[in-house]
Amino acid sequence: MSTNKSNQHDIVLPIHSENSGSCDPQNLCEAAWRERWMILMPLAILLAFTIVCFWLPIDIICSRFFYLSAFDGWAGDYWFSEDLCYSVSPLPGVVLGIGAIIVLVIGRWSPELAARKPVARFLLCVVLAGPLLLVNAMIKPAISRPRPHQLAVFGGERPENVRYVAPWQLSAIDGKSFPSGHASMGFLWMAPAFLYWRRKRWPVALWMTLGILYGTAIGFFRIAVGAHFLSDIVWSCGIVYFSGLAMYLLLGGWRTGAFETQQPNKVNEITAASEAAAQGLQPEAQAA
């Protein structure tokens, strides 16, 4: 008799233990603290690179490599691939941004798309916060850094006698070189990596590599035509990275299953079946 009761008790034990997610952060502060090295290390690299740009002519040396002469202009002006790169640079923003909007709008009538709303909301926020808001709407107009082809050292004539301005240094010249808007759109391919953050290493590595390579390729051609400095490209990468990490934290991506596709029907079926099984066993236990 006692053996039968113990077997029945084992059947109705809960499927998941309450302490199974004890290692996961419980709030935003704990989640941010867990990502402290993913915040501090890239930030330290960016700050160190910026300080070097103030002391050494890294940007000028890099741009001079592509400058032919005052008459011939820039090497990238003669490359067909530069025009192609300029045209495809908005592709990540268009694919991720418009795709997210479609999911959010049509998801009102489609249960399958509605289950992917958390993913769409995250991607749309990264697109809006990174390239559109921070890069193009706020930092570029505020810094107003002159472009390489505007500098007197590279044959710039309008306005006259324009000198080099280091990154994050304010300028009165209407150049809007810092940071690169086109490169920031290319680096957007890094955004899907945060959907797998702390869960799957290979997708994170894949999307990060794709975003860095795509954005770097666009930045290379933008430097080749005298439109941007090397530091413009580096900071574009950093801004997009921190935008993705910030949205991951603020939208609760650190919570278990936050970006996973929801399947409420299956969950309800499992819950109902377990409850029915438990209720069916209770009369038998009492009779025994």
Side-chain angles (χ1 to χ4, degrees):
M1 185 73 66
S2 61
T3 304
N4 189 19
K5 289 184 178 180
S6 61
N7 293 336
Q8 293 171 358
H9 178 71
D10 293 338
I11 294 175
V12 297
L13 285 177
I15 298 176
H16 299 288
S17 175
E18 294 180 357
N19 297 327
S20 60
S22 58
C23 295
D24 295 333
Q26 302 300 315
N27 51 56
L28 179 60
C29 293
E30 292 183 5
W33 176 252
R34 188 176 67 170
E35 305 298 336
R36 61 191 181 278
W37 294 115
M38 304 309 296
I39 298 173
L40 296 177
M41 290 180 63
L43 184 60
I45 294 174
L46 289 171
L47 292 178
F49 176 78
T50 303
I51 293 174
V52 172
C53 289
F54 274 86
W55 291 97
L56 298 176
I58 296 178
D59 283 331
I60 298 297
I61 293 174
C62 182
S63 295
R64 192 185 297 277
F65 182 79
F66 299 98
Y67 180 66
L68 301 177
S69 66
F71 178 77
D72 295 325
W74 296 83
D77 293 332
Y78 301 94
W79 299 349
F80 170 77
S81 55
E82 197 282 330
D83 294 332
L84 178 63
C85 186
Y86 187 88
S87 301
V88 301
S89 60
L91 181 62
V94 172
V95 172
L96 298 179
I98 296 181
I101 293 175
I102 292 175
V103 171
L104 293 174
V105 173
I106 302 182
R108 296 187 175 186
W109 302 279
S110 174
E112 295 181 357
L113 291 180
R116 294 171 173 81
K117 278 187 175 182
V119 174
R121 191 178 297 111
F122 166 79
L123 293 176
L124 182 60
C125 286
V126 176
V127 173
L128 294 177
L132 295 183
L133 181 60
L134 289 176
V135 173
N136 289 290
M138 297 179 62
I139 302 178
K140 288 175 75 73
I143 300 298
S144 192
R145 185 188 195 185
R147 299 179 184 271
H149 62 71
Q150 293 179 298
L151 301 186
V153 68
F154 293 132
E157 298 179 354
R158 291 179 296 178
E160 298 179 355
N161 300 322
V162 177
R163 297 182 179 181
Y164 171 78
V165 175
W168 292 106
Q169 186 176 358
L170 299 179
S171 173
I173 304 299
D174 187 15
K176 298 181 180 179
S177 176
F178 180 83
S180 172
H182 288 85
S184 66
M185 294 292 283
F187 288 121
L188 268 177
W189 283 133
M190 293 191 297
F194 294 97
L195 299 174
Y196 305 94
W197 203 251
R198 296 281 179 178
R199 296 192 298 111
K200 297 180 180 180
R201 295 182 179 180
W202 284 111
V204 172
L206 177 64
W207 285 108
M208 280 290 177
T209 302
L210 176 61
I212 292 174
L213 291 179
Y214 197 96
T216 301
I218 295 174
F220 172 82
F221 290 106
R222 296 297 287 160
I223 295 175
V225 297
H228 287 287
F229 294 103
L230 175 62
S231 56
D232 297 334
I233 312 304
V234 173
W235 268 103
S236 293
C237 180
I239 291 172
V240 174
Y241 168 80
F242 282 112
S243 298
L245 185 57
M247 290 301 107
Y248 163 81
L249 293 172
L250 294 176
L251 296 181
W254 42 272
R255 296 190 178 94
T256 303
F259 293 138
E260 294 180 0
T261 302
Q262 305 295 325
Q263 296 178 341
N265 294 334
K266 292 184 178 180
V267 173
N268 292 336
E269 291 176 1
I270 295 174
T271 304
S274 61
E275 292 178 354
Q279 293 176 359
L281 289 172
Q282 289 177 357
E284 297 179 4
Q286 294 176 356

